Amino acid sequence: MTDPAARAAEAFEERFGRAPEGVWAAPGRLNVIGEHTDYNGGFVLPIALPHTTRAAVARRDDGRLVLRSLQHPDDDADVAVAELTPGTPTGWAGYVAGVVHELAGHVPGGLDVLVDGDVPAGAGLSSSAALECAVALALRDLLGLDLAPGDLVDVARRAENDFVGAPTGILDQSASVLCEAGAALFLDTRDRSAEQVPFDLAAAGLALLVVDSGTVHDHAESGYGDRRRECEQAAARLGVDLLREVDDVAALDVLADGTPEGELLRRRARHVVTEDARVLRVVATLRSGEDPRAIGPLLTEGHASLRDDFEVSVPLLDACVEAALEAGAHGARMVGGGFGGSALALVDADAVDAVTAAVTERFAREGAPAPRSFVAVPSAGARRLA
Ligand code: GLA
């Protein structure tokens, strides 16, 4: 395979007729555990994927932002930086434009940006955060901006929330910027304190298998917003700012006031409270140097909680998790926001092929196209390539 930096630089030169000033890369992420906790001030534990989005960038002086993506060759964008307004352009270009909009006060002229990448899109693996973070890092370097890693996370997250209009938490951008190779990022999303937890699965004869179900439901976005609102309502009824402040599930009983709504809020809150506890237990296990297989059942519990209490799974992901477990996975769960996307399975390294075959066979039985799958190795966060 051609060197990714050289490939992006060459494509840039072909499109813009000159060399880029640099090439930056940022990874997609896989959350090991801690789903739908970030906007509740809770804990997350993502790794960065080896898959990255690359941005080759050069400044121009006419105030235009000209964008091209090798993954969307028929969808170039050319807009004036001064006229950027949230919501346009849409599609992939919106993530780049959102970051430029955030930093527009510092972009004196314009920019040419060529994007290339291999983070699977629509798979719940944060290809959008990878794009935002690669561009944010490029602008920091090119414009000499004084932005700490946490500031880059904020810029990228605001692009997603305020420009693109997706009401996400801080998980994806934090993972893309802050993760380090060989480690999982234990992040407290309330005070933003972070710790790199060594996560050397290969040394333990293990692998993290990722299965992209290839489906995303239409209501993924509305469903995500609904869950956020339900969590806010539950917190308000409990008299706390964030569900993170509740650490005892018994305290949630007051939500069940005999109405279906109260019962629903109790289940939503129970997912968040038990998920935070699972993150802490997984981190404690990894820190203790114990066999990492011990985290398997916690991953599977997390799936059941997302499926039954939080109701963001879909039958195909449930089937995938079930098939992986039947084929010998130590634990398995859906990952990301849900309503489609990917699942992960913790498997013995020498069982990757057997588990993949079992899952593929199960997809066929469910009448679904064969899923894409790969082994995720904890990789480096956003960086300059050239
Ligand atoms: C999406 C969001 C994240 C997080 C996850 C669920 O990936 O972008 O902020 O809420 O869903 O854990």
Side-chain angles (χ1 to χ4, degrees), residues 29 31 34-39 44 124-126 128 157 160 166-173 224 228 275 306 333-338:
R29 62 100 186 92
N31 197 14
E35 224 65 90
H36 288 275
T37 50
D38 61 350
Y39 53 83
V44 293
L125 300 173
S126 294
S128 57
R157 199 265 282 253
E160 177 107 23
T168 60
I170 204 143
L171 163 65
D172 309 339
Q173 293 80 9
Y224 187 90
R228 274 198 83 136
E275 184 80 349
L306 288 162
R333 58 182 287 272
M334 56 148 279
V335 294

Side-chain angles (χ1 to χ4, degrees), residues 32 41 90 117 120 128 143 186 231 313 348 352 356 378:
V32 177
T90 54
S128 57
L143 306 172
F186 173 39
C231 289
S313 189
D348 288 330
V352 167
T356 307

Side-chain angles (χ1 to χ4, degrees), residues 8 15 20 35-36 64 88 122 134 136 150 153 174 182 222 244 256:
R15 169 64 178 79
E35 224 65 90
H36 288 275
R64 312 280 317 165
T88 41
V153 171
S174 300
S222 60
R244 147 71 185 280

Side-chain angles (χ1 to χ4, degrees), residues 193-257:
S193 57
E195 176 191 334
Q196 305 289 339
V197 181
F199 196 44
D200 187 355
L201 291 171
L206 284 166
L208 263 186
L209 178 66
V210 180
V211 181
D212 172 8
S213 74
T215 59
V216 185
H217 276 236
D218 298 344
H219 58 275
E221 232 167 85
S222 60
Y224 187 90
D226 290 345
R227 293 302 176 276
R228 274 198 83 136
R229 265 189 306 281
E230 289 158 359
C231 289
E232 281 160 17
Q233 277 167 15
R237 288 195 191 183
L238 290 162
V240 294
D241 287 336
L242 295 162
L243 286 180
R244 147 71 185 280
E245 287 153 46
V246 182
D247 50 18
D248 175 11
V249 280
L252 304 175
D253 288 346
V254 295
L255 292 170
D257 55 5

Side-chain angles (χ1 to χ4, degrees), residues 275-300:
E275 184 80 349
D276 274 333
R278 279 184 288 273
V279 178
L280 296 179
R281 286 165 67 198
V282 167
V283 169
T285 304
L286 295 179
R287 275 194 197 128
S288 74
E290 223 180 293
D291 184 342
R293 285 169 185 77
I295 72 171
L298 293 164
L299 304 183
T300 308

